[in-house]
Amino acid sequence: MFFGELLSSVIQVLVFSLIPFIVHLVTAKKAKGFLRSVGFFRPEKRTVILALLASVGLFAVMWGIFLATDSVELLHDEATVTGKLRAAGLSADTALALLVIAWIRTSLSEEILFRGFIGRRLINRFGFRKGNLLQAAIFGVIHGLLIIFAAAGRFAAWQAVMIIVLTGAAGYFIGWIKEKHGNGSLIPGWLSHAFGNTIGYFLVAFVL
């Protein structure tokens, strides 16, 4: 499982980086500077601490709502990431696979595309408030659609809306950290996203 997830995670990062790279190549007329353009540069130490604290807060709110609304069962469906891990059972192989999924496939690829590329361009065009809200809305809707297709017909419409709102709110907050406190660095948001996913995936797959 680990090697399969590692391969698919690397492929997803490359695919999610392709459009930003092509746009950078066209606009800058050179490949140099691409990583910095999406936010890969060293952030301030205090921003990393803020991101990790934010991750704990976001985790508590999001998963608290899932528990309070009895919606965790949605994420046990074998069509979802946590459902597949749950079905495989806890082992060294699935634990490593979980880390790869949480840190590379979901968090890294999504931060590059949504905050590093889409969010940055929307914020440059419309200003921080509107641009960040738009990228967060796109982020939330796409997550909602993925869950809807993965577990089609097995949950209520209000649960789909809840997923869209919660993931959209998380996307907005991570964008806020990146732009307002991280000087545009992608690293704090990636750490926040990955840390939250790691805890959430583990609890849903192997504990709850």
Side-chain angles (χ1 to χ4, degrees):
M1 188 176 193
F2 165 68
F3 290 107
E5 291 298 343
L6 180 60
L7 178 61
S8 63
S9 296
V10 171
I11 291 173
Q12 181 161 312
V13 169
L14 292 174
V15 170
F16 277 37
S17 301
L18 184 60
I19 293 176
F21 179 72
I22 291 173
V23 171
H24 175 80
L25 206 58
V26 170
T27 55
K29 296 185 174 25
K30 58 182 179 181
K32 186 178 180 181
F34 167 68
L35 291 178
R36 186 171 184 85
S37 75
V38 294
F40 273 106
F41 53 89
R42 185 176 179 179
E44 295 181 16
K45 184 178 180 180
R46 64 179 181 82
T47 310
V48 173
I49 295 171
L50 172 64
L52 293 176
L53 290 174
S55 182
V56 173
L58 286 170
F59 166 81
V61 172
M62 291 183 69
W63 294 105
I65 292 173
F66 267 98
L67 287 170
T69 57
D70 292 322
S71 299
V72 174
E73 287 294 324
L74 288 174
L75 304 177
H76 289 167
D77 192 291
E78 288 192 29
T80 65
V81 168
T82 44
K84 290 176 183 176
L85 291 168
R86 186 182 180 86
L90 180 58
S91 65
D93 184 55
T94 52
L96 288 172
L98 184 153
L99 290 174
V100 167
I101 294 167
W103 284 83
I104 301 176
R105 194 170 99 193
T106 54
S107 303
L108 180 57
S109 61
E110 288 176 3
E111 289 308 313
I112 290 171
L113 181 62
F114 290 100
R115 257 66 69 184
F117 176 65
I118 294 174
R120 179 170 171 266
R121 296 184 74 82
L122 288 174
I123 289 169
N124 286 343
R125 182 174 179 83
F126 299 110
F128 172 75
R129 188 173 297 177
K130 186 181 292 185
N132 197 41
L133 186 62
L134 284 171
Q135 72 80 13
I138 295 168
F139 184 67
V141 168
I142 289 177
H143 274 74
L145 290 175
L146 288 173
I147 293 291
I148 289 169
F149 288 126
R154 292 188 284 275
F155 60 95
W158 69 265
Q159 291 174 313
V161 173
M162 179 184 70
I163 290 169
I164 291 171
V165 171
L166 289 176
T167 53
Y172 185 91
F173 200 73
I174 292 172
W176 174 76
I177 291 173
K178 176 180 181 290
E179 298 298 330
K180 293 297 184 180
H181 294 276
N183 298 321
S185 173
L186 197 75
I187 306 300
W190 175 30
L191 293 176
S192 177
H193 194 161
F195 186 63
N197 278 2
T198 301
I199 299 172
Y201 290 170
F202 182 83
L203 289 178
V204 173
F206 306 122
V207 179
L208 299 176

